[in-house]
Amino acid sequence: MESVTIKDIAKRCNVAVSTVSRAINNHPDIKEETRRKIMQVIEENNYIPNNSAQNLKKSDSKTIGVIVKGVDNPLFAKVRSTLAESIARYGYDYYFQYIGISDNEIMEALRLAKEKRLRGIIFLGGNYNRTQEELEEIPVPFVMSTVTIDETVSKSLYSSVSVDSYKESYRMVDYLCSKGYKKIVLLAGSKGDESVGGLRLKGYRDALKANHISIDEKRICFSQDWAEDVFSMANGYRMTKKLMESGVDFDCVYAIADSIAIGACKALLENGKKIPQECGVAGFDGLDETLYYHPSITTIRQPMEKIAEETVRILFSRLHKGTKNRHRVFPCELIERESTMK
Amino acid sequence: MESVTIKDIAKRCNVAVSTVSRAINNHPDIKEETRRKIMQVIEENNYIPNNSAQNLKKSDSKTIGVIVKGVDNPLFAKVRSTLAESIARYGYDYYFQYIGISDNEIMEALRLAKEKRLRGIIFLGGNYNRTQEELEEIPVPFVMSTVTIDETVSKSLYSSVSVDSYKESYRMVDYLCSKGYKKIVLLAGSKGDESVGGLRLKGYRDALKANHISIDEKRICFSQDWAEDVFSMANGYRMTKKLMESGVDFDCVYAIADSIAIGACKALLENGKKIPQECGVAGFDGLDETLYYHPSITTIRQPMEKIAEETVRILFSRLHKGTKNRHRVFPCELIERESTMK
DNA sequence: TTGTACGCGTTATCAT
DNA sequence: ATGATAACGCGTACAA
């Protein structure tokens, strides 16, 4: 349990701790010979500097914190490397922190900012409505990536990179209408969802209106409130089963997330419905799964790589050039696949 | 950038820092009145204790570190909550650390153990062959969960919870044979894989032998060495496409991972092959996706919840009762689905 | 019940 | 080029 410290190394080398510190941190004024010897002793004794102590002492750190909300979001898993590489390209270190869906990301940010002396923070995911007051506490520049922030919060307080859920949802439904679908069911999120779920719902409503299709509230399926797994295949399956049992007439199912769409497909196919001949299906997000499903599923692809890169770019532009906070919205790509190609 | 410290709080309350510390850590000997007042000031000033300083000072911590290798592994995403709850049940804190697939988990463990004064460590994922020497450096009890360790490493050094990849793979192929499949293709991992990939391959070979089916090496497809995404749908798709182009005759495809199996299904279906009538398909792992795929895919389900619970149980039995290191192997469940039900 | 003072492991600022 | 030493923010004996 006794771990070896910088003092032990110093003693074993017959030098002062400050010399060891210099060796570790590649300081210029140290003889190459002593440096090598110290590094060798460090190696032999498996010495690892205590990062807590380092951070406690350091004033300047050159590290960016990335707070990811939702380990299980497959959309984020792929972004990790892109973010890491982009940050490294600026010569900064990064520190990823994955937190649970119900954890408070702001608290986590404050904690990390102190602990690791962060220069900037990137938030990935999490749609909770944070107040202006909370956001103001964060002492370093930060970018909300694919996070929806309440409209009442001043835009000058933070940067953001995201997609326009409303517009893209509108586009998808408009497309479905153009394909001749008249009775489009929406598999929505929870009833009170003011975030992406709500926005995509609004896009659905407005697009139908624009296409002169009257909205049948029976065709809007909300997830059960108790369902913690709203964005899951299981939920899509459940909702679609229930829909079919209810006897509501429909010719297309549009889910606000790909995972939900996959569950819906299963329920439809299981009941002998042919996709797309008897019922079209569309999702949202651009998960790989939609491409490999059979039939492949039409979706709206969020350009996650671009989003990640732009997130880092904005952060460093703010850090280095002192630019103001910016808000960038990326267009998505509507990918037409078999599930809607009658 | 100036963050508020315990001193600031003390000053604002006209008390000593130690009193503030007592208030924070729920110490008994402190007047309820002062406690409340201090907590209020803390609230008002958004004070958060610097965890680095705390850890530096503390000798005893009651926290378990969980090092997860592979954020993108859907199998692990689900385990998170189970592990967290199990650890909490013992009255311990936990600290999750997600690291990249190419990061060195041992280094990370050593770093964390120092920093957070960990009492124990759980490793989740990562199949790299670590040497005995490396493992010996870890100063606290640890459990390798679903990790394969080289046979040459002494079993007394660590605990482990896993499944028998060889046996389960054997079972699957044996089952496929019993269903009448004679020309079973294996979609394997990389050629040199000594870990799960290699074990599942061995199970395949031995099961065929036991069923008096001669092994045709052309029916064993290795992933390209350059493919970093070995366990991906894309890789399964690629391999199967290539297989069909090669003209090799087969009546069943068995993939060493569900994700690979899904890619294989897509390739087969795209080419007009009927599953399971013209070709059976089976995977390994028990991903939810296999249930929602159409047709649903036969697989070997790893009991991840049980594995997680047992992992924690073994760790604490070692921590509290001083038990020796144990190695637990859980049986999997062969789930027969549509993809092999002719 | 509360305050004072020391030390955790490290880096940075002085001297030497 | 190297050594001594003061912080960093906190918890905890010990004193009051």
Side-chain angles (χ1 to χ4, degrees), chain B residues 50-128:
Chain B
N50 185 319
N51 195 248
S52 284
Q54 289 181 315
N55 286 134
L56 196 55
K57 183 62 197 168
K58 278 183 189 159
S59 44
D60 137 72
S61 75
K62 284 214 163 201
T63 103
I64 302 297
V66 183
I67 296 179
V68 185
K69 193 157 178 170
V71 222
D72 50 341
N73 190 330
L75 228 47
F76 296 160
K78 298 195 349 186
V79 185
R80 196 190 148 93
S81 54
T82 310
L83 277 176
E85 283 160 21
S86 300
I87 295 172
R89 208 172 298 131
Y90 284 91
Y92 273 60
D93 288 332
Y94 47 84
Y95 191 87
F96 277 80
Q97 185 74 312
Y98 288 76
I99 64 174
I101 198 71
S102 52
D103 293 337
N104 184 326
E105 66 270 22
I106 308 291
M107 287 300 267
E108 201 61 30
L110 294 176
R111 204 181 57 72
L112 260 183
K114 273 196 180 180
E115 226 172 288
K116 305 283 181 192
R117 312 271 180 198
L118 300 181
R119 289 277 192 83
I121 300 177
I122 290 170
F123 290 91
L124 207 57
N127 305 303
Y128 293 93

Coordinates of all heavy atoms in Angstrom, one line a residue, chain B residues 50-128:
Chain B
N50 N -12.0 20.8 -3.3 CA -11.0 20.4 -4.3 C -10.7 18.9 -4.0 O -10.0 18.6 -3.0 CB -9.8 21.2 -4.3 CG -8.8 20.8 -5.4 OD1 -8.6 19.7 -5.7 ND2 -8.3 21.8 -6.1
N51 N -11.1 18.1 -4.9 CA -11.0 16.6 -4.6 C -9.5 16.2 -4.6 O -9.1 15.2 -4.0 CB -11.8 15.8 -5.7 CG -11.9 14.4 -5.3 OD1 -11.4 13.5 -6.0 ND2 -12.7 14.1 -4.3
S52 N -8.7 16.9 -5.4 CA -7.3 16.6 -5.4 C -6.7 16.8 -4.0 O -6.0 15.9 -3.5 CB -6.5 17.5 -6.4 OG -6.8 17.1 -7.7
A53 N -7.0 17.9 -3.4 CA -6.5 18.2 -2.1 C -7.0 17.1 -1.1 O -6.3 16.7 -0.2 CB -6.9 19.6 -1.7
Q54 N -8.3 16.8 -1.2 CA -8.9 15.8 -0.3 C -8.2 14.5 -0.4 O -7.8 13.9 0.6 CB -10.4 15.6 -0.7 CG -11.2 16.8 -0.3 CD -12.7 16.5 -0.7 OE1 -13.0 16.0 -1.7 NE2 -13.6 16.9 0.2
N55 N -8.0 14.0 -1.6 CA -7.3 12.7 -1.8 C -5.9 12.8 -1.4 O -5.4 11.8 -0.9 CB -7.4 12.4 -3.3 CG -8.8 11.9 -3.7 OD1 -9.3 12.3 -4.8 ND2 -9.4 11.1 -2.9
L56 N -5.3 13.9 -1.6 CA -3.9 14.0 -1.2 C -3.8 13.8 0.3 O -2.8 13.2 0.8 CB -3.4 15.4 -1.5 CG -1.9 15.6 -1.6 CD1 -1.3 14.5 -2.5 CD2 -1.5 17.0 -2.0
K57 N -4.7 14.3 1.0 CA -4.7 14.3 2.5 C -5.2 12.9 3.1 O -4.6 12.4 4.0 CB -5.6 15.4 3.0 CG -5.6 15.5 4.5 CD -4.2 15.9 5.1 CE -4.1 15.6 6.5 NZ -2.8 15.6 7.0
K58 N -6.2 12.5 2.5 CA -6.8 11.2 3.0 C -5.9 10.0 2.9 O -5.1 9.9 2.0 CB -8.1 10.9 2.2 CG -9.3 11.7 2.7 CD -10.5 11.2 1.9 CE -11.7 12.1 2.1 NZ -12.7 12.0 1.1
S59 N -6.0 9.2 3.9 CA -5.2 8.0 3.9 C -6.1 6.8 3.5 O -5.8 5.9 2.8 CB -4.6 7.7 5.2 OG -5.5 7.9 6.3
D60 N -7.4 7.0 3.9 CA -8.4 5.9 3.8 C -9.5 6.5 2.9 O -9.9 7.6 3.1 CB -8.8 5.5 5.2 CG -10.3 5.3 5.3 OD1 -10.8 4.4 4.7 OD2 -11.0 6.2 5.9
S61 N -10.0 5.7 2.0 CA -10.9 6.4 1.1 C -12.2 5.6 0.8 O -13.2 6.2 0.5 CB -10.3 6.6 -0.2 OG -10.2 5.4 -0.9
K62 N -12.2 4.3 1.0 CA -13.5 3.6 0.7 C -14.0 3.8 -0.7 O -15.2 4.1 -0.9 CB -14.5 3.9 1.7 CG -14.3 3.3 3.1 CD -15.7 3.0 3.7 CE -15.6 2.1 4.9 NZ -16.9 1.4 5.1
T63 N -13.1 3.8 -1.6 CA -13.6 3.8 -3.0 C -12.9 2.8 -3.9 O -11.8 2.4 -3.7 CB -13.4 5.2 -3.7 OG1 -12.3 5.2 -4.6 CG2 -13.2 6.3 -2.7
I64 N -13.8 2.3 -4.8 CA -13.4 1.2 -5.7 C -13.2 1.9 -7.1 O -14.1 2.6 -7.5 CB -14.4 0.1 -5.8 CG1 -14.7 -0.5 -4.4 CG2 -14.0 -0.9 -6.8 CD1 -13.5 -1.2 -3.8
G65 N -12.1 1.6 -7.8 CA -12.0 2.1 -9.1 C -12.4 1.1 -10.2 O -12.2 -0.1 -10.0
V66 N -13.1 1.5 -11.2 CA -13.6 0.7 -12.2 C -13.0 1.2 -13.5 O -13.3 2.3 -14.0 CB -15.1 0.6 -12.4 CG1 -15.5 -0.4 -13.5 CG2 -15.8 0.3 -11.1
I67 N -12.1 0.4 -14.1 CA -11.5 0.8 -15.4 C -12.1 0.0 -16.5 O -12.0 -1.2 -16.6 CB -10.0 0.5 -15.3 CG1 -9.4 1.4 -14.2 CG2 -9.3 0.8 -16.6 CD1 -7.9 1.2 -14.0
V68 N -12.8 0.8 -17.4 CA -13.5 0.2 -18.5 C -12.7 0.4 -19.8 O -12.5 1.6 -20.1 CB -14.9 0.7 -18.6 CG1 -15.7 0.0 -19.7 CG2 -15.7 0.6 -17.3
K69 N -12.4 -0.6 -20.4 CA -11.6 -0.5 -21.7 C -12.6 -0.7 -22.9 O -13.0 -1.8 -23.1 CB -10.5 -1.5 -21.7 CG -9.5 -1.2 -22.8 CD -8.2 -1.8 -22.4 CE -7.2 -1.6 -23.5 NZ -5.8 -2.0 -23.1
G70 N -12.9 0.4 -23.6 CA -13.8 0.2 -24.7 C -15.1 0.8 -24.4 O -16.1 0.1 -24.0
V71 N -15.2 2.1 -24.7 CA -16.5 2.8 -24.5 C -17.5 2.3 -25.4 O -18.7 2.3 -25.1 CB -16.4 4.3 -24.8 CG1 -17.1 5.1 -23.8 CG2 -15.0 4.8 -25.0
D72 N -17.1 1.9 -26.6 CA -18.0 1.5 -27.6 C -18.5 0.1 -27.5 O -19.3 -0.4 -28.3 CB -17.3 1.7 -29.0 CG -16.0 1.0 -29.0 OD1 -15.4 0.7 -27.9 OD2 -15.4 0.8 -30.1
N73 N -18.1 -0.6 -26.5 CA -18.6 -2.0 -26.3 C -20.0 -1.9 -25.6 O -20.1 -1.6 -24.4 CB -17.6 -2.8 -25.4 CG -18.0 -4.2 -25.4 OD1 -19.1 -4.6 -25.5 ND2 -17.0 -5.1 -25.2
P74 N -21.0 -2.2 -26.4 CA -22.4 -2.1 -25.9 C -22.6 -3.1 -24.7 O -23.5 -2.8 -23.9 CB -23.3 -2.5 -27.1 CG -22.4 -3.1 -28.1 CD -21.0 -2.7 -27.8
L75 N -21.8 -4.1 -24.6 CA -22.0 -5.1 -23.5 C -21.7 -4.4 -22.2 O -22.2 -4.7 -21.2 CB -21.0 -6.2 -23.8 CG -21.5 -7.6 -23.6 CD1 -22.8 -7.8 -24.4 CD2 -20.4 -8.6 -24.2
F76 N -20.7 -3.4 -22.2 CA -20.3 -2.8 -21.0 C -21.2 -1.7 -20.5 O -21.3 -1.4 -19.4 CB -18.9 -2.3 -21.1 CG -17.9 -3.3 -21.3 CD1 -16.6 -3.0 -21.9 CD2 -18.2 -4.7 -21.0 CE1 -15.7 -4.0 -22.1 CE2 -17.2 -5.7 -21.2 CZ -16.0 -5.4 -21.8
A77 N -21.8 -1.0 -21.5 CA -22.7 0.1 -21.2 C -23.8 -0.3 -20.2 O -24.1 0.4 -19.2 CB -23.3 0.7 -22.4
K78 N -24.3 -1.5 -20.4 CA -25.4 -2.0 -19.6 C -24.9 -2.3 -18.2 O -25.7 -2.3 -17.2 CB -26.1 -3.2 -20.2 CG -26.7 -2.8 -21.5 CD -27.7 -3.8 -22.1 CE -27.7 -5.2 -21.4 NZ -28.6 -6.1 -22.1
V79 N -23.7 -2.7 -18.0 CA -23.2 -3.2 -16.8 C -23.0 -2.1 -15.7 O -23.0 -2.3 -14.5 CB -21.9 -4.0 -17.0 CG1 -21.4 -4.6 -15.7 CG2 -22.0 -5.0 -18.0
R80 N -22.8 -0.9 -16.3 CA -22.5 0.2 -15.4 C -23.3 0.4 -14.2 O -22.8 0.4 -13.1 CB -22.6 1.5 -16.3 CG -21.9 2.7 -15.7 CD -22.2 4.0 -16.4 NE -22.3 5.1 -15.5 CZ -21.2 5.9 -15.3 NH1 -20.1 5.7 -15.9 NH2 -21.3 6.9 -14.4
S81 N -24.6 0.4 -14.4 CA -25.5 0.6 -13.3 C -25.4 -0.6 -12.3 O -25.5 -0.4 -11.1 CB -26.9 0.8 -13.8 OG -27.3 -0.3 -14.6
T82 N -25.3 -1.8 -12.8 CA -25.2 -2.9 -11.9 C -24.0 -2.9 -11.0 O -24.1 -3.1 -9.8 CB -25.2 -4.3 -12.8 OG1 -26.2 -4.3 -13.7 CG2 -25.3 -5.5 -11.9
L83 N -22.9 -2.5 -11.6 CA -21.7 -2.4 -10.8 C -21.8 -1.3 -9.8 O -21.5 -1.5 -8.6 CB -20.5 -2.1 -11.8 CG -19.8 -3.2 -12.5 CD1 -18.8 -2.7 -13.4 CD2 -19.2 -4.2 -11.5
A84 N -22.3 -0.2 -10.2 CA -22.4 1.0 -9.4 C -23.3 0.6 -8.1 O -22.9 0.9 -7.0 CB -23.0 2.2 -10.1
E85 N -24.5 0.0 -8.4 CA -25.4 -0.3 -7.3 C -24.7 -1.4 -6.4 O -24.9 -1.3 -5.2 CB -26.7 -0.9 -7.9 CG -27.6 0.2 -8.4 CD -28.6 -0.3 -9.4 OE1 -28.9 -1.5 -9.3 OE2 -29.1 0.5 -10.2
S86 N -24.1 -2.3 -6.9 CA -23.5 -3.4 -6.1 C -22.4 -2.8 -5.2 O -22.4 -3.1 -4.0 CB -22.8 -4.5 -7.0 OG -23.8 -5.1 -7.8
I87 N -21.6 -1.9 -5.7 CA -20.5 -1.3 -4.9 C -21.1 -0.5 -3.8 O -20.7 -0.5 -2.7 CB -19.6 -0.5 -5.8 CG1 -18.8 -1.4 -6.8 CG2 -18.6 0.2 -5.0 CD1 -18.0 -0.7 -7.8
A88 N -22.1 0.3 -4.2 CA -22.8 1.2 -3.3 C -23.4 0.4 -2.1 O -23.4 0.9 -1.0 CB -23.8 2.0 -4.0
R89 N -23.9 -0.8 -2.4 CA -24.5 -1.6 -1.4 C -23.5 -1.9 -0.3 O -23.9 -2.2 0.9 CB -25.1 -2.9 -2.0 CG -26.2 -3.4 -1.3 CD -26.9 -4.6 -2.1 NE -27.4 -4.2 -3.3 CZ -27.2 -4.8 -4.5 NH1 -26.4 -5.8 -4.5 NH2 -27.7 -4.3 -5.6
Y90 N -22.2 -1.9 -0.6 CA -21.2 -2.2 0.4 C -20.8 -1.0 1.1 O -19.8 -1.0 1.9 CB -20.0 -2.9 -0.2 CG -20.2 -4.4 -0.6 CD1 -20.7 -4.7 -1.8 CD2 -20.0 -5.4 0.4 CE1 -20.9 -6.1 -2.1 CE2 -20.1 -6.7 0.1 CZ -20.6 -7.0 -1.2 OH -20.8 -8.4 -1.5
G91 N -21.4 0.1 0.8 CA -21.1 1.4 1.5 C -19.8 2.0 0.9 O -19.2 2.9 1.6
Y92 N -19.4 1.6 -0.3 CA -18.2 2.2 -0.9 C -18.6 3.2 -2.0 O -19.7 3.1 -2.6 CB -17.3 1.1 -1.5 CG -16.4 0.5 -0.5 CD1 -16.8 -0.1 0.7 CD2 -15.0 0.5 -0.7 CE1 -16.0 -0.7 1.6 CE2 -14.1 0.0 0.2 CZ -14.6 -0.6 1.3 OH -13.7 -1.2 2.2
D93 N -17.7 4.1 -2.2 CA -17.8 4.9 -3.4 C -17.2 4.2 -4.6 O -16.5 3.3 -4.4 CB -17.1 6.3 -3.2 CG -17.9 7.2 -2.2 OD1 -19.1 7.0 -2.1 OD2 -17.2 8.0 -1.6
Y94 N -17.5 4.7 -5.8 CA -16.9 4.1 -7.0 C -16.4 5.2 -7.9 O -16.9 6.3 -7.9 CB -17.8 3.2 -7.7 CG -19.2 3.8 -7.9 CD1 -19.5 4.6 -9.0 CD2 -20.2 3.5 -7.0 CE1 -20.7 5.2 -9.1 CE2 -21.5 4.1 -7.1 CZ -21.7 4.9 -8.2 OH -23.0 5.4 -8.4
Y95 N -15.5 4.9 -8.7 CA -15.0 5.8 -9.6 C -14.7 5.1 -11.0 O -13.9 4.3 -11.1 CB -13.7 6.5 -9.1 CG -13.2 7.6 -9.9 CD1 -13.7 8.9 -9.6 CD2 -12.4 7.5 -11.0 CE1 -13.3 10.0 -10.4 CE2 -12.0 8.6 -11.8 CZ -12.5 9.8 -11.5 OH -12.1 10.9 -12.2
F96 N -15.6 5.5 -12.0 CA -15.4 4.9 -13.3 C -14.4 5.6 -14.1 O -14.4 6.9 -14.2 CB -16.8 4.9 -14.0 CG -17.7 3.8 -13.6 CD1 -18.4 3.8 -12.4 CD2 -17.8 2.7 -14.4 CE1 -19.2 2.8 -12.1 CE2 -18.6 1.6 -14.1 CZ -19.3 1.7 -12.9
Q97 N -13.6 4.9 -14.8 CA -12.6 5.5 -15.7 C -12.7 4.8 -17.0 O -12.4 3.6 -17.1 CB -11.2 5.4 -15.1 CG -10.2 6.1 -15.9 CD -10.3 7.6 -15.8 OE1 -11.4 8.2 -15.9 NE2 -9.2 8.3 -15.6
Y98 N -13.2 5.4 -18.0 CA -13.3 4.8 -19.4 C -12.0 5.2 -20.1 O -11.6 6.3 -20.2 CB -14.5 5.3 -20.1 CG -15.8 4.8 -19.6 CD1 -16.3 5.3 -18.4 CD2 -16.4 3.8 -20.3 CE1 -17.5 4.8 -17.9 CE2 -17.6 3.3 -19.8 CZ -18.1 3.8 -18.6 OH -19.3 3.2 -18.2
I99 N -11.3 4.2 -20.7 CA -10.1 4.5 -21.4 C -10.2 3.9 -22.8 O -11.0 3.0 -23.1 CB -8.9 3.9 -20.7 CG1 -8.9 2.4 -20.6 CG2 -8.7 4.5 -19.3 CD1 -7.7 1.7 -20.0
G100 N -9.3 4.4 -23.7 CA -9.3 4.0 -25.1 C -8.8 2.6 -25.2 O -8.2 2.0 -24.3
I101 N -9.1 2.0 -26.3 CA -8.8 0.6 -26.5 C -7.3 0.3 -26.6 O -6.8 -0.8 -26.3 CB -9.5 0.1 -27.8 CG1 -9.6 -1.5 -27.9 CG2 -8.8 0.6 -29.1 CD1 -10.6 -2.0 -26.9
S102 N -6.6 1.4 -26.9 CA -5.1 1.2 -27.0 C -4.4 1.8 -25.8 O -3.2 1.7 -25.7 CB -4.6 1.9 -28.3 OG -5.0 3.2 -28.3
D103 N -5.1 2.3 -24.8 CA -4.5 2.8 -23.6 C -4.0 1.6 -22.7 O -4.6 0.5 -22.8 CB -5.5 3.7 -22.8 CG -5.8 5.0 -23.5 OD1 -5.0 5.4 -24.4 OD2 -6.8 5.5 -23.2
N104 N -3.0 1.9 -21.9 CA -2.5 0.8 -21.0 C -3.3 0.9 -19.7 O -3.2 1.8 -18.9 CB -1.1 1.1 -20.8 CG -0.5 0.0 -19.9 OD1 -1.1 -0.6 -19.0 ND2 0.8 -0.3 -20.2
E105 N -4.1 -0.2 -19.5 CA -5.0 -0.2 -18.4 C -4.3 -0.3 -17.0 O -4.7 0.1 -16.0 CB -6.1 -1.3 -18.5 CG -5.6 -2.7 -18.5 CD -5.2 -3.2 -19.8 OE1 -5.0 -2.3 -20.7 OE2 -5.2 -4.4 -20.0
I106 N -3.1 -0.9 -17.1 CA -2.3 -1.1 -15.9 C -1.8 0.2 -15.4 O -1.9 0.6 -14.2 CB -1.2 -2.1 -16.1 CG1 -1.7 -3.4 -16.7 CG2 -0.5 -2.4 -14.8 CD1 -2.5 -4.2 -15.8
M107 N -1.2 1.0 -16.3 CA -0.7 2.3 -16.0 C -1.9 3.1 -15.4 O -1.7 3.8 -14.4 CB -0.2 3.0 -17.2 CG 1.1 2.5 -17.7 SD 2.4 2.6 -16.5 CE 3.1 4.2 -17.0
E108 N -3.0 3.1 -16.0 CA -4.1 3.8 -15.5 C -4.5 3.4 -14.1 O -4.8 4.2 -13.3 CB -5.3 3.6 -16.5 CG -6.4 4.6 -16.5 CD -5.8 6.0 -16.8 OE1 -4.9 6.1 -17.6 OE2 -6.4 7.0 -16.3
A109 N -4.5 2.1 -13.9 CA -4.8 1.6 -12.6 C -3.8 2.1 -11.5 O -4.3 2.5 -10.4 CB -4.8 0.1 -12.6
L110 N -2.6 2.1 -11.8 CA -1.6 2.5 -10.9 C -1.8 4.0 -10.5 O -1.7 4.4 -9.4 CB -0.2 2.3 -11.4 CG 0.2 0.8 -11.6 CD1 1.6 0.7 -12.3 CD2 0.3 0.1 -10.3
R111 N -2.0 4.8 -11.6 CA -2.2 6.2 -11.4 C -3.4 6.5 -10.5 O -3.4 7.2 -9.5 CB -2.5 6.8 -12.8 CG -2.2 8.3 -12.9 CD -2.5 8.8 -14.3 NE -3.9 8.6 -14.7 CZ -4.9 9.2 -14.2 NH1 -4.7 10.2 -13.3 NH2 -6.1 9.0 -14.6
L112 N -4.5 5.8 -10.9 CA -5.8 6.0 -10.1 C -5.6 5.5 -8.7 O -6.1 6.2 -7.8 CB -6.9 5.2 -10.8 CG -7.8 6.0 -11.7 CD1 -8.9 5.1 -12.2 CD2 -8.4 7.2 -10.9
A113 N -5.0 4.4 -8.5 CA -4.8 3.9 -7.2 C -4.2 4.9 -6.2 O -4.6 5.1 -5.1 CB -4.0 2.6 -7.2
K114 N -3.2 5.5 -6.7 CA -2.5 6.6 -6.0 C -3.4 7.8 -5.7 O -3.6 8.2 -4.6 CB -1.3 7.1 -6.7 CG 0.0 6.3 -6.5 CD 1.2 7.0 -7.0 CE 2.4 6.2 -6.8 NZ 3.6 6.9 -7.2
E115 N -3.9 8.3 -6.8 CA -4.6 9.5 -6.8 C -5.9 9.4 -5.9 O -6.1 10.3 -5.1 CB -5.1 9.8 -8.2 CG -4.9 11.2 -8.7 CD -5.1 11.3 -10.1 OE1 -4.3 10.8 -10.9 OE2 -6.2 11.9 -10.5
K116 N -6.6 8.4 -6.1 CA -7.9 8.3 -5.4 C -7.8 7.4 -4.2 O -8.8 7.1 -3.5 CB -9.0 7.7 -6.3 CG -9.1 8.5 -7.6 CD -9.9 9.8 -7.4 CE -10.1 10.6 -8.7 NZ -10.6 11.9 -8.5
R117 N -6.6 6.9 -3.9 CA -6.4 6.0 -2.7 C -7.4 4.9 -2.8 O -8.1 4.6 -1.8 CB -6.7 6.8 -1.4 CG -6.0 8.1 -1.3 CD -4.6 8.0 -0.7 NE -3.9 9.3 -0.7 CZ -2.6 9.4 -0.5 NH1 -1.9 8.3 -0.4 NH2 -2.1 10.6 -0.5
L118 N -7.4 4.2 -3.9 CA -8.4 3.2 -4.1 C -8.1 2.0 -3.2 O -7.0 1.7 -2.8 CB -8.3 2.7 -5.6 CG -8.6 3.7 -6.6 CD1 -8.5 3.0 -8.0 CD2 -10.0 4.3 -6.4
R119 N -9.2 1.3 -2.8 CA -9.1 0.1 -2.0 C -9.1 -1.1 -2.9 O -8.7 -2.2 -2.4 CB -10.3 0.0 -1.0 CG -10.3 1.0 0.1 CD -9.4 0.6 1.2 NE -9.6 1.4 2.4 CZ -10.7 1.3 3.2 NH1 -11.5 0.2 3.1 NH2 -10.8 2.1 4.2
G120 N -9.7 -1.0 -4.0 CA -9.7 -2.1 -4.9 C -10.0 -1.7 -6.4 O -10.5 -0.5 -6.6
I121 N -9.7 -2.5 -7.3 CA -9.9 -2.1 -8.7 C -10.7 -3.2 -9.5 O -10.4 -4.4 -9.3 CB -8.6 -1.9 -9.4 CG1 -7.8 -0.8 -8.7 CG2 -8.7 -1.5 -10.9 CD1 -6.4 -0.5 -9.2
I122 N -11.5 -2.8 -10.4 CA -12.2 -3.7 -11.2 C -11.9 -3.4 -12.7 O -12.0 -2.2 -13.1 CB -13.8 -3.6 -11.1 CG1 -14.2 -4.2 -9.7 CG2 -14.5 -4.4 -12.2 CD1 -15.6 -3.9 -9.3
F123 N -11.4 -4.4 -13.4 CA -11.1 -4.2 -14.8 C -12.2 -4.8 -15.7 O -12.6 -5.9 -15.5 CB -9.8 -4.9 -15.2 CG -8.6 -4.3 -14.6 CD1 -8.1 -4.7 -13.4 CD2 -7.9 -3.2 -15.2 CE1 -6.9 -4.1 -12.8 CE2 -6.8 -2.6 -14.7 CZ -6.3 -3.1 -13.5
L124 N -12.7 -4.0 -16.6 CA -13.8 -4.4 -17.4 C -13.3 -4.3 -18.9 O -13.0 -3.2 -19.4 CB -15.0 -3.5 -17.2 CG -16.4 -4.1 -17.5 CD1 -16.6 -5.4 -16.7 CD2 -17.4 -3.1 -17.2
G125 N -13.1 -5.5 -19.5 CA -12.7 -5.4 -20.9 C -11.2 -5.3 -21.1 O -10.5 -5.0 -20.2
G126 N -10.8 -5.5 -22.3 CA -9.4 -5.4 -22.7 C -8.8 -6.8 -22.6 O -8.8 -7.5 -21.6
N127 N -8.3 -7.2 -23.7 CA -7.8 -8.6 -23.8 C -6.3 -8.7 -24.0 O -5.8 -9.7 -24.5 CB -8.5 -9.3 -25.0 CG -10.0 -9.2 -24.8 OD1 -10.5 -9.7 -23.8 ND2 -10.7 -8.7 -25.8
Y128 N -5.6 -7.6 -23.7 CA -4.2 -7.7 -23.9 C -3.5 -8.5 -22.9 O -3.8 -8.6 -21.8 CB -3.6 -6.2 -23.9 CG -4.2 -5.5 -25.1 CD1 -5.3 -4.7 -25.0 CD2 -3.6 -5.6 -26.4 CE1 -5.9 -4.1 -26.0 CE2 -4.1 -4.9 -27.4 CZ -5.3 -4.2 -27.3 OH -5.8 -3.5 -28.3

